[in-house]
Amino acid sequence: MGDMLFSMGTTTPQRTLSIGELARDTGASVRSLRHYDAHGLLTSFRSDNGYRAFPPAAVTQVRQIQRMIATGFSLAEIRAFPDCMRMIEGASACPETSAAQRKRLASIERQIADLERRRARLLKTLAEGVVPPLE
């Protein structure tokens, strides 16, 4: 079970999460969590017993990281995003990141167009029985 953490300026303890608890609560693997933490994407600290501990807000951080990875962003790109993207669950449009999101969308659209060209070429090859010349 997690340790307790005292919030800044208060004496009210907050429950902390072990890496296993964070994995369970987010569905992320322990290995992924260590990787995110190593890239500076998570708020963590060493507890008195030397184990890594996470504040409850880390659940939100992990969920946001997973969402951004699912849309094609790398960990390096995610690390460069401001807190408005990494710390607020469900955040999708910060003025500071809309240009990066548009750039990612353009890249995905180019990939789709390339795949559609390949698909059409393969369909033509199957229909005609020969590889068509490059156009």
Side-chain angles (χ1 to χ4, degrees), residues 109-123:
E109 288 173 343
R110 282 190 302 275
Q111 292 171 351
I112 289 170
D114 183 50
L115 288 172
E116 287 175 345
R117 282 190 296 276
R118 290 178 188 198
R119 180 179 180 270
R121 185 170 171 78
L122 184 55
L123 286 170

Side-chain angles (χ1 to χ4, degrees), residues 2-72:
D3 293 325
M4 299 302 251
L5 167 73
F6 288 91
S7 297
M8 295 178 78
T10 71
T11 57
T12 306
Q14 286 186 330
R15 182 169 159 20
T16 62
L17 303 170
S18 69
I19 197 164
E21 290 168 325
L22 184 58
R24 183 198 64 226
D25 291 352
T26 62
S29 69
V30 170
R31 183 176 180 195
S32 291
L33 296 174
R34 285 189 181 117
H35 192 64
Y36 302 161
D37 195 43
H39 279 83
L41 295 172
L42 296 178
T43 303
S44 69
F45 59 93
R46 295 287 176 179
S47 63
D48 292 340
N49 62 10
Y51 290 111
R52 189 160 305 283
F54 300 88
V59 172
T60 297
Q61 291 175 310
V62 171
R63 289 179 180 157
Q64 276 300 95
I65 292 165
Q66 290 170 323
R67 285 184 182 100
M68 288 184 275
I69 289 171
T71 59

